[in-house]
Amino acid sequence: MVIDKIENSHLYTGLSDRIAKALAYINNTDLENTNIGKYEIDGEFVFALVQEYNSKKPEDCRLESHFKHIDIQYVISGTELMGIDILKGQVPHTVYKEKDVAFYPNESTQVELSQGDFAILFPSDLHRPCIQNKESSKVKKLVIKILC
C-alpha cells in the first residue's frame, strides 16, 4: 500500500509499467474537467473510472479487497477518510469473484485523503473508501484499475 501526494508519484513509477501508465494518466489529464465515466488507458489492463459522490457515514462504507486488480485512488477534489488495513488472515463475509471484490468486517485504521492525494492498493491491502470526515461532502475521485 502506498499513500502519498501526486507530486511524489515519480517515486512509484518503477513498481510496474502499468502503474507508471496509470500515474502518467493522472499527471497528464485535466481531471477537474473530465466527465464522470470510464476511460481506457491500456485496454482492459489499465482503465480509469471518474466518480462523483457525497462521502458517507462510516457504517455505510465497506472494507474491501480485490483479487486481480490493483487500485489507484486519486482525489480530484474534496476530502474523505479511507479505512485501510493489510490482509493478514481476515475472513471475508461476502465474496464476488466475478466482480473481483471481497468484503470484510469494517475494522480498519482511517487516513484522510484530500485533493491531490492518492493511494495505491494491492490485492493484499484492504480499503474502505468514501467515509465522511465529520460531515458529508462532495468528492470527485479517479479510480484506476490495473490488472495484476
Side-chain angles (χ1 to χ4, degrees):
M1 173 181 333
V2 171
I3 298 173
D4 207 340
K5 296 232 165 260
I6 198 62
E7 303 88 71
N8 297 325
S9 62
H10 64 280
L11 299 171
Y12 310 103
T13 56
L15 292 173
S16 80
D17 289 342
R18 291 179 183 167
I19 289 174
K21 285 179 185 179
L23 293 170
Y25 182 83
I26 294 170
N27 283 304
N28 297 319
T29 304
D30 179 7
L31 294 169
E32 288 187 24
N33 293 307
T34 300
N35 292 326
I36 305 312
K38 182 176 179 179
Y39 298 88
E40 185 178 300
I41 298 171
D42 185 14
E44 295 196 21
F45 298 109
V46 184
F47 61 91
L49 304 166
V50 177
Q51 309 169 339
E52 277 188 352
Y53 53 85
N54 290 319
S55 57
K56 305 173 195 172
K57 294 178 181 177
E59 60 268 20
D60 295 330
C61 301
R62 300 190 290 180
L63 188 65
E64 64 185 59
S65 71
H66 305 291
F67 305 104
K68 301 183 301 186
H69 288 92
I70 297 166
D71 273 6
I72 296 182
Q73 298 199 13
Y74 172 71
V75 178
I76 299 166
S77 63
T79 298
E80 71 178 28
L81 299 177
M82 179 182 290
I84 56 170
D85 202 351
I86 296 169
L87 186 59
K88 51 186 179 277
Q90 299 94 322
V91 177
H93 58 72
T94 308
V95 175
Y96 298 106
K97 281 268 189 188
E98 68 283 353
K99 294 183 179 182
D100 190 39
V101 68
F103 296 105
Y104 298 81
N106 281 339
E107 297 177 27
S108 58
T109 301
Q110 292 182 354
V111 296
E112 181 180 306
L113 296 176
S114 299
Q115 182 175 350
D117 294 340
F118 73 98
I120 303 175
L121 303 153
F122 298 91
S124 59
D125 298 323
L126 302 178
H127 54 288
R128 185 176 167 207
C130 308
I131 302 171
Q132 67 187 31
N133 189 2
K134 297 182 183 135
E135 59 186 40
S136 181
S137 64
K138 188 169 187 143
V139 176
K140 185 173 184 183
K141 184 163 65 175
L142 175 72
V143 177
I144 299 180
K145 306 295 269 182
I146 302 167
L147 190 62
C148 296

